[in-house]
Structures are given as C-alpha cells and as structure tokens.
Amino acid sequence: MMKTRIFKIEEVTKEIMLQAVNDLKNGAVIIAPTDTVYGIMADALNPQAVKRMCEIKQKPSDVPLQYLASDIKYAKRIALFSPKATLLAEKYWPGPLTIIVPPSKEGKKYLRGFDTLGIRVPKNDFIANLLNAFGGVAAASSANLHSKPVINSQEELIKEFNGKVDYIFTGGQFSSESSTVLSLEPFKIFREGGIKEKDVLNFFAENANIF
C-alpha cells in the first residue's frame, strides 16, 4: 500500500504546498476541500494521472470530469466563453457553478473524448492557492466512489482513500450540495446544486437587454 501524506489545511506550510504542487505536476493524485465537497484531482494534462484518479474513484470513462481553474482569466485561456457565459461566470465565480463550454484551441488538449469542458472556479482559498502555484488546470471530481454518497467527514475520507492517493488535505467549510452543472447553448441544467435554476433564469431575465 502506498504512503498517503495527510495534512490539515491550517497546518500546510509553504514548503508542503510547493511539494504537493511539484508532485501534482509529476502525476500525483490529491484530495482537498473545495467550497462544495471534497474533491479528488490530478493534472488535467497528464493522461496517466487522470486515468489513475478515475480508477481510484471507480469513475467510468464515459462520465465527464470537471476542470478546476484558479480564476476566470485562466478559464478563458482553455475555453470559449460567449457573452452569456462570461456574464454568468462573472456573477457566480468563484463559486459552486460548473459551466459547460467549448474548448479554445489551447483547451482542446484537455478533452477526454467529449466536445466540451465543464469548468469551475472554486471559492476556496486553499484550492485557489494550490491552482495558482500549480499554474494549470486540475481535472477533478467529488472525492467519493462513483455513484456513492458524497463524503464530508474527514474520518470517512481517510478510511476510504488512505493508501490510494498521494495527498489528503482535510478541513474547511462544506456545503451539503455539489456545484450546479449547466450548459448555455442550449440552456440545460445537468445537475442542480448550490445555485438554483430559478436564480440563473432570473439573472438572465434581468440582463436580457445585454444579449
């Protein structure tokens, strides 16, 4: 069984963070808190690391992953945002909203057999710092076995994933809901989470003059 390094986020020093980032660049799989639930993540440009992450989670290859970016500026480097998508991102990011958008030329290398990317900028200082230091995009999913209940207990998390992943960072404040996942053209809610469909529709109605 591999050795998993386990830290509480408040105990993470600059040295630990830099080591984790370096290991992420070299194929490590990391579990860390986000603003919704614990996430399992790997370097989106490392196919072997992404494959390993999916195997650990028991996630089928035909189920899309989420891509975590440090900010909207970086998200726009890898995806094409329509005016409506830009407005929505500026309204709800950082936050629990995953927007499905077409890739940019640079973003095509992130595709895993799908035509689009589901991107999110999480509202969590620890993840923001990790992604900023990493300088890239993390492929991610919720840190639970596929189709099993979400894990918000650090004891359950360690019991399930200790010895399977390279790092587990625990702590943070959690929501009982995952992110809302939607596409815009056509508009479709694939999963309603922390942001409700009625709120998105109301926001569009309020800004109808812009489109």
Side-chain angles (χ1 to χ4, degrees):
M1 188 168 75
M2 69 175 294
K3 170 81 171 167
T4 299
R5 302 186 71 189
I6 302 172
F7 301 97
K8 294 181 179 179
I9 57 171
E10 59 268 22
E11 297 172 349
V12 174
T13 62
K14 183 179 180 180
E15 289 72 25
I16 293 170
M17 176 68 82
L18 290 176
Q19 184 63 58
V21 167
N22 186 62
D23 290 342
L24 189 62
K25 290 177 179 178
N26 287 290
V29 175
I30 289 175
I31 288 177
T34 72
D35 51 337
T36 54
V37 297
Y38 278 106
I40 183 169
M41 59 200 73
D43 180 358
L45 289 181
N46 186 326
Q48 290 305 312
V50 174
K51 181 183 177 190
R52 181 174 156 232
M53 179 187 78
C54 291
E55 288 173 348
I56 291 168
K57 183 183 164 70
Q58 300 175 11
K59 188 180 183 78
S61 59
D62 61 348
V63 177
L65 290 169
Q66 192 176 100
Y67 293 86
L68 300 182
S70 55
D71 54 43
I72 188 171
K73 183 179 177 182
Y74 203 99
K76 284 187 170 183
R77 283 177 53 183
I78 68 167
L80 303 174
F81 282 72
S82 66
K84 187 176 281 191
T86 297
L87 197 67
L88 200 64
E90 289 172 348
K91 165 71 174 176
Y92 289 110
W93 282 356
L97 179 68
T98 300
I99 305 175
I100 299 173
V101 283
S104 65
K105 184 177 180 181
E106 180 180 343
K108 287 181 180 178
K109 58 191 175 185
Y110 291 90
L111 296 173
R112 289 177 62 251
F114 301 94
D115 296 329
T116 53
L117 297 171
I119 302 179
R120 185 162 90 87
V121 176
K123 189 176 183 180
N124 177 285
D125 290 342
F126 181 81
I127 289 296
N129 291 337
L130 181 73
L131 291 171
N132 275 320
F134 177 54
V137 173
S141 186
S142 56
N144 57 300
L145 298 184
H146 182 68
S147 78
K148 299 295 184 182
V150 167
I151 299 174
N152 275 340
S153 157
Q154 64 184 43
E155 291 79 13
E156 287 182 50
L157 192 76
I158 292 168
K159 181 180 178 182
E160 184 62 63
F161 292 105
N162 189 20
K164 299 177 184 177
V165 300
D166 299 277
Y167 288 85
I168 296 176
F169 294 100
T170 66
Q173 298 296 315
F174 293 98
S175 164
S176 59
E177 296 180 296
S178 299
S179 67
T180 294
V181 181
L182 61 79
S183 65
L184 291 170
E185 290 144 5
F187 178 75
K188 182 177 180 180
I189 298 277
F190 290 90
R191 180 180 73 196
E192 188 173 68
I195 295 168
K196 304 308 175 188
E197 180 176 6
K198 62 180 178 61
D199 295 325
V200 175
L201 293 174
N202 286 341
F203 177 67
F204 284 153
E206 291 166 3
N207 293 277
N209 62 309
I210 297 176
F211 309 120

